Amino acid sequence: MAEGENKLKLYSYWKSSCSFRIRIALNLKGLEYQYIPVNLLKGEQFSPEFQKLNPIGYVPVLVDGDMIISDSFAIFMYLEEKYPQHPLLPSDLAKKALNFQAANIVSSSIQPLQNLAVLKYIEEKVSPDEKIPWTKFHIEKGFEALGKLLKDHAGKYATGDEVSMADLFLAPQILAGIERFNVDMAKFPLLSRLNEAYSELPEFQNAKPENQPDAPSA
């Protein structure tokens, strides 16, 4: 078998926060992967080739041999079971449930409401001026909930002193809130502190949008 044929393949878009989560997970687990860019602005997610991988047309998609997994939550759970090195879910059941709750607030109650398709719909059907207020409302609502959920559990990171699943979902969302939607993080001191902690981790920094091969050149 040719060298590299068994390498993981990640279909990703540089700016996608869902892809960002998985890039962090792969980095933390020390897994090499082939980065395959999917340009969402050009509509490459609607190509027949990509639709075979994920019929709904979203990134990321992970290919591991014969396995094809889409959706960042599903990919994370697959990686955690298939590649148990550097576990990202605590063994303690209560802490594990806390991680699921925090990750789900991001993946269900914040990120879907700011994705490209939703913002395009609002721009076309409502008004271009409503895109940012809409997004900030939902991000801030989610950030407020996350602060309340984590305030009695956070250590250096979201649910303690070890990086866990919640951090992988929080980091890209916090960054998007700051850089793309101008969220005032002074309202969310716990999340601001976590963001500073993430900035010290090379696995997080290397996964950032601007460090991806398909990011526009400066």
Side-chain angles (χ1 to χ4, degrees):
M1 187 170 289
E3 184 179 350
E5 196 170 324
N6 276 336
K7 185 184 287 188
L8 295 165
K9 296 177 181 178
L10 180 67
Y11 290 79
S12 175
Y13 178 59
W14 69 283
K15 213 172 184 179
S16 160
S17 61
C18 298
S19 299
F20 189 172
R21 302 165 191 164
I22 300 306
R23 296 193 298 257
I24 298 171
L26 291 165
N27 291 346
L28 286 168
K29 288 182 174 291
L31 296 170
E32 292 186 8
Y33 62 95
Q34 179 185 354
Y35 187 105
I36 302 175
V38 180
N39 191 320
L40 304 186
L41 296 182
K42 291 183 177 178
E44 292 177 357
Q45 68 273 32
F46 303 120
S47 69
E49 294 80 12
F50 189 76
Q51 293 275 308
K52 288 179 183 176
L53 299 173
N54 187 7
I56 202 167
Y58 293 157
V59 292
V61 173
L62 184 77
V63 177
D64 185 6
D66 295 331
M67 287 290 297
I68 300 172
I69 313 105
S70 58
D71 184 87
S72 63
F73 206 104
I75 294 171
F76 174 87
M77 298 302 291
Y78 172 82
L79 290 172
E80 189 69 0
E81 290 201 26
K82 177 76 181 289
Y83 302 99
Q85 67 267 32
H86 196 121
L88 296 168
L89 276 174
S91 56
D92 178 80
L93 185 59
K95 276 198 172 186
K96 187 179 292 187
L98 182 64
N99 273 271
F100 290 149
Q101 291 175 76
N104 265 305
I105 288 176
V106 173
S107 64
S108 299
S109 301
I110 305 177
Q111 188 279 327
L113 300 169
Q114 69 178 38
N115 74 19
L116 191 63
V118 170
L119 296 185
K120 184 178 179 182
Y121 186 90
I122 291 172
E123 182 175 17
E124 293 176 353
K125 303 294 185 181
V126 184
S127 165
D129 296 335
E130 290 301 316
K131 287 198 306 181
I132 297 301
W134 159 274
T135 309
K136 288 180 73 171
F137 171 80
H138 290 289
I139 292 175
E140 292 183 0
K141 179 182 177 183
F143 280 5
E144 184 177 356
L146 285 163
K148 292 176 180 177
L149 177 69
L150 299 173
K151 66 181 176 67
D152 295 328
H153 305 281
K156 185 173 183 180
Y157 302 111
T159 62
D161 292 327
E162 300 292 333
V163 171
S164 59
M165 179 190 196
D167 299 296
L168 276 62
F169 282 68
L170 281 169
Q173 185 58 62
I174 294 170
L175 193 69
I178 295 168
E179 296 187 354
R180 293 174 57 193
F181 303 110
N182 301 314
V183 171
D184 179 8
M185 292 303 295
K187 302 178 189 176
F188 311 107
L190 173 57
L191 300 187
S192 294
R193 179 175 65 74
L194 293 175
N195 188 50
E196 291 177 9
Y198 302 147
S199 71
E200 299 173 358
L201 299 173
E203 296 89 351
F204 281 65
Q205 296 305 298
N206 292 338
K208 288 178 70 174
E210 63 266 28
N211 295 325
Q212 305 318 302
D214 55 332
S217 300

